[in-house]
Amino acid sequence: RAESLLNRARCAAEWLPELNLPAMDEESLLADAEQWLLPFMNGIKTLKAIDKIDLVAALEARLGWEQAKALDSILPTHYQVPTGSRYPIRYQLGHKPVLAVRMQEMFGEKTSPLIANGKVAVVLELLSPAQRPLQITQDLAAFWQGSYRDVQKEMKGRYPKHVWPDDPTNHMATTKTKRQLK
């Protein structure tokens, strides 16, 4: 969780400099450790006890309550797809955020999700029913109108029990097979 928080904070600093987040790079964290980490080290007397430090709380304290809450809202840890399932968003500095989700669970979604106050499109790693990557896109609308037809043809043969609609933008998202939908 601490690593995830650091990645999100670093991405937020890159994408939304107006938030004025404190520096969260390793060099700054080490230089300022006495200010942000020391208060969370009460009672730590051995190296083994270091594992008990709540790094997430310490890092959130460094951000400040308001900025930590803003970060959770602007760069969420998870995204809820049309089926209601929640999947983690992977953040990595210097890259767009990535969401891996089965393609059928994105039916009905017309465009790629946006985060960072609508400034950053989430890259969708659309997966087969067997959880294997089928397509990677940051423009879902263009995928539905373009190369989806090729994927649909191939997948209808490989996964005939699953739904592969002609109009995925107006089809209900599902986690079920055709037989389960009847």
Side-chain angles (χ1 to χ4, degrees), residues 1 6 11 20 32-33 56 63 69 78 88 92-94 110 120 137 146 167 172:
R1 286 185 51 222
L6 279 174
C11 287
N20 294 320
D32 300 340
V56 173
L63 286 171
K69 292 299 161 211
H78 289 73
Q92 190 176 355
L93 190 61
K110 297 187 182 352
V120 179
T137 183
D167 184 7
M172 188 175 78

Side-chain angles (χ1 to χ4, degrees), residues 2-173:
E3 192 69 38
S4 171
L5 177 61
L6 279 174
N7 285 337
R8 289 186 306 120
R10 291 167 180 165
C11 287
E14 180 182 320
W15 299 329
L16 301 162
E18 65 272 15
L19 290 179
N20 294 320
L21 295 175
M24 299 295 268
D25 59 283
E26 287 183 24
E27 196 174 295
S28 299
L29 289 172
L30 286 171
D32 300 340
E34 201 171 302
Q35 295 168 353
W36 68 273
L37 188 57
L38 194 59
F40 290 85
M41 295 183 73
N42 280 344
I44 303 295
K45 296 189 182 347
T46 65
L47 281 176
K48 192 172 184 176
I50 288 178
D51 289 341
K52 294 181 178 150
I53 297 172
D54 188 349
L55 277 178
V56 173
L59 292 168
E60 284 177 341
R62 178 175 172 82
L63 286 171
W65 189 86
E66 296 225 352
Q67 287 183 316
K69 292 299 161 211
L71 184 64
D72 286 342
S73 157
I74 295 167
L75 298 184
T77 58
H78 289 73
Y79 180 77
Q80 185 169 328
V81 296
T83 59
S85 299
R86 286 173 35 93
Y87 292 103
I89 300 173
R90 294 189 318 258
Y91 293 93
Q92 190 176 355
L93 190 61
H95 296 86
K96 298 235 181 196
V98 177
L99 174 69
V101 59
R102 283 186 31 228
M103 188 177 294
Q104 285 82 3
E105 292 195 66
M106 291 305 289
F107 291 159
E109 197 84 337
K110 297 187 182 352
T111 60
S112 294
L114 297 172
I115 58 167
N117 293 332
K119 291 183 178 182
V120 179
V122 175
V123 173
L124 294 170
E125 191 175 274
L126 299 170
L127 307 174
S128 72
Q131 303 288 321
R132 292 189 182 97
L134 291 175
Q135 183 76 30
I136 296 174
T137 183
Q138 61 184 11
D139 187 349
L140 188 60
F143 168 69
W144 290 144
Q145 293 172 358
S147 59
Y148 169 74
R149 301 283 172 250
D150 297 330
V151 171
Q152 177 194 32
K153 278 183 215 165
E154 185 181 335
M155 291 299 109
K156 271 186 173 181
R158 192 174 294 171
Y159 299 101
K161 294 179 182 177
H162 293 270
V163 181
W164 301 99
D166 289 333
D167 184 7
T169 58
N170 291 311
H171 195 278
M172 188 175 78

